Amino acid sequence: MSVTSFLHRLPPAGWLASALSLVAAVTFGLIWLAVHQPWLGLTLAPADPGIAGLQVLNSSGPTAAIGSGTRLTQLAAPQGPMFTPEGADLSPEPDTSHVRVGDYREFLLRQQALHALLLQPRLLLYTSDGQTHAVEPASQRPLASLPASFWLQLLVAGSGLMVGVGVYAFRRTDPAAGYLVITGLGLMLSAGAAAVYSTRELALEGSLFRLLHAINGCGSLLFCAAFISTLWHYPTRLGRADPGPALISVYLGLALASALQWLPDFDISLRLPILAGFTATIVLAVLQWRRTRQRPLERAALQWFLLAWFSGSSLFLGLIFVPALFGADTGSLQAYAFALFLLIYLGLAFGIARYRLFELDRWWLNAWTVLLSGALLIAVGLLLIYALKLDPTLALSLGLALVGWLYFPLRQRVLERMAGPSGSAALPQLLRQVIATEAAPPQTLWQDTLARLFRPLDIRSGRARLEQPAVSDSGLVLE
């Protein structure tokens, strides 16, 4: 069986489970990469303007003897040359502090030199008070030392892909759903790579830093191109041609040119193309608005979709990209600004549950709650086994009890509030309406009954007579 055939036959639960597995694998990989770096135990910040060195905000582990407030002026290996750290060495996002490619190359060379020092078995740290501290850098970074911004970016990285796959699993023939998955993939690449290099203690190996930064830029450009393509198709298709493949190719070409440093600065290779893409989404939003003026259902879906998109993207661009174009270093804000993308995908998730975006309605919400219920049960069981050292059988029993008594009732309350009562709860009232109605033809009554009971995404009348009901298309179609 080919990969394409396998993916086509994969049921929605398989798509959701695969997406969850991919996000988990990428998350653990990024955590492993962040942890397996040399560690001094320092929390550093740039010194005051005009003063050389770095300010120590906190210290622990190998450098616990260095008090907070101390200024670190130089580093060196025994019998090695001195290295003077600068505030720019801590830049969480180098393309805002080193816009020109030449400056970025120098930054990477300094990162390489700093990383080589951190790999030394013994390191000398010189402070402004004239003291010299001999420390032995740890080979790994403790998990607890990873800051909140690291975990926030991991959350953003996984959320976009999960929502996109959640839509595509039920709308595989809708091009907009396919492009929405690509936006989630782009966000995972961008935020995931940035999570590692933006929260480093002091330095990463130069080639690794360059690779992660290239992945970040590629993800950002891919996200932009895919969202333009999504708005071309949703909620109505604006033309027969599909500009998506060409757009994605152009933006990936820009990403390649940026990674290979063919363009002179990151404004040309990254920020201006993304701002142009944002402008294109505004134009497409206006066209979609005009196209749906006589179609109230599509207009309602478009309103919520645009609210979710522009509330997150415009704030991110306004805080990070536009100031950077005018020379402001906004890198320190980027990690937390990624949370604005959660507004986009959480808004889409709520719109699907409440306003039937992509015509998914309760199918989408129910599928996710079932999958997350299983994941929660496994997580609770593992937590009880490893944290409390319980017997696996007892841990499973307690996990079932906790999930059953606490999670499921809460989940049901949330589902009822967000999506309204189920079709089965309205069955007696529905039967009374069918029996009491005389004016409507039987075919209309039958379709109305099916729509209320099953809440399908689409109902189509077939010509062939069926001997018995049948399920097809991996459980997505009931005949």
Side-chain angles (χ1 to χ4, degrees):
M1 181 186 299
S2 65
V3 175
T4 304
S5 177
F6 172 77
L7 294 177
H8 178 73
R9 293 169 60 89
L10 195 65
W15 278 95
L16 300 181
S18 299
L20 188 60
S21 300
L22 176 60
V23 169
V26 171
T27 299
F28 284 118
L30 293 173
I31 294 172
W32 184 92
L33 187 59
V35 168
H36 284 75
Q37 300 296 329
W39 182 65
L40 292 174
L42 293 174
T43 302
L44 300 167
D48 295 333
I51 300 178
L54 301 174
Q55 199 77 15
V56 176
L57 302 181
N58 193 15
S59 60
S60 60
T63 57
I66 302 178
S68 60
T70 303
R71 182 160 52 89
L72 180 63
T73 57
Q74 289 180 318
L75 300 86
Q79 288 80 45
M82 294 288 187
F83 187 96
T84 302
E86 301 175 354
D89 295 324
L90 300 177
S91 298
E93 184 49 71
D95 61 47
T96 59
S97 57
H98 304 80
V99 178
R100 296 192 60 81
V101 168
D103 297 335
Y104 175 64
R105 289 172 182 163
E106 292 182 6
F107 168 79
L108 291 180
L109 290 175
R110 290 183 61 84
Q111 285 287 301
Q112 180 67 37
L114 274 171
H115 186 264
L117 283 174
L118 296 177
L119 292 177
Q120 297 296 319
R122 194 164 178 265
L123 188 63
L124 301 178
L125 305 181
Y126 299 88
T127 59
S128 58
D129 54 7
Q131 296 188 32
T132 302
H133 300 268
V135 300
E136 297 179 0
S139 60
Q140 292 188 16
R141 183 177 185 178
L143 189 64
S145 70
L146 295 173
S149 57
F150 174 82
W151 302 105
L152 175 61
Q153 290 176 93
L154 288 190
L155 175 63
V156 173
S159 299
L161 184 65
M162 296 296 285
V163 172
V165 173
V167 172
Y168 180 76
F170 295 96
R171 302 288 295 179
R172 300 179 205 176
T173 59
D174 187 348
Y179 287 120
L180 190 64
V181 174
I182 300 177
T183 68
L185 178 61
L187 184 59
M188 184 171 70
L189 294 174
S190 179
V196 177
Y197 69 72
S198 67
T199 60
R200 68 193 185 279
E201 182 187 41
L202 182 56
L204 293 177
E205 195 271 328
S207 59
L208 174 62
F209 202 129
R210 182 176 177 180
L211 174 63
L212 290 173
H213 187 260
I215 293 174
N216 168 264
C218 178
S220 300
L221 292 167
L222 181 63
F223 175 92
C224 182
F227 223 110
I228 299 172
S229 305
T230 303
L231 263 178
W232 177 270
H233 290 279
Y234 186 82
T236 63
R237 186 163 182 162
L238 294 177
R240 292 184 179 181
D242 181 6
L247 271 173
I248 291 175
S249 299
V250 170
Y251 273 71
L252 288 181
L254 285 171
L256 178 62
S258 177
L260 296 177
Q261 301 179 354
W262 289 345
L263 299 175
D265 60 58
F266 290 107
D267 286 342
I268 296 175
S269 63
L270 185 64
R271 278 180 280 275
L272 288 177
I274 290 180
L275 287 174
F278 179 76
T279 304
T281 62
I282 296 177
V283 174
L284 294 179
V286 172
L287 295 176
Q288 289 283 8
W289 189 268
R290 296 181 61 185
R291 180 70 65 90
T292 59
R293 60 179 177 268
Q294 301 296 332
R295 305 166 72 170
L297 292 179
E298 286 81 356
R299 172 64 64 85
L302 178 64
Q303 287 176 328
W304 189 262
F305 185 82
L306 294 180
L307 175 64
W309 162 239
F310 286 110
S311 62
S313 60
S314 59
L315 287 174
F316 184 87
L317 293 178
L319 288 173
I320 305 300
F321 270 52
V322 175
L325 282 172
F326 292 94
D329 185 1
T330 57
S332 59
L333 300 175
Q334 178 169 288
Y336 296 99
F338 267 118
L340 295 171
F341 286 99
L342 288 177
L343 293 177
I344 299 175
Y345 290 97
L346 291 178
L348 291 179
F350 183 83
I352 288 168
R354 189 67 177 175
Y355 299 107
R356 298 194 66 180
L357 294 186
F358 293 94
E359 299 183 358
L360 291 180
D361 204 15
R362 293 185 62 189
W363 284 23
W364 191 84
L365 191 61
N366 288 338
W368 271 118
T369 54
V370 170
L371 181 66
L372 294 178
S373 300
L376 180 62
L377 177 59
I378 295 173
V380 170
L382 292 176
L383 179 64
L384 293 173
I385 291 173
Y386 289 101
L388 302 181
K389 308 299 181 182
L390 296 180
D391 177 76
T393 303
L394 179 59
L396 177 61
S397 302
L398 289 177
L400 284 171
L402 290 174
V403 173
W405 291 339
L406 298 178
Y407 170 73
F408 284 114
L410 179 62
R411 185 202 71 174
Q412 191 61 31
R413 293 288 298 273
V414 172
L415 286 177
E416 290 177 358
R417 291 292 299 273
M418 293 182 65
S422 63
S424 58
L427 180 59
Q429 179 183 0
L430 175 61
L431 292 176
R432 286 194 295 270
Q433 289 179 345
V434 172
I435 294 173
T437 302
E438 298 179 356
Q443 182 67 17
T444 301
L445 292 176
W446 176 238
Q447 290 201 2
D448 184 60
T449 302
L450 293 176
R452 295 195 184 194
L453 285 176
F454 294 101
R455 302 175 69 100
L457 304 182
D458 186 25
I459 296 180
R460 300 179 184 178
S461 298
R463 297 181 180 180
R465 297 180 60 88
L466 296 175
E467 298 297 331
Q468 60 183 3
V471 175
S472 62
D473 198 8
S474 301
L476 294 180
V477 176
L478 172 65
E479 300 178 358

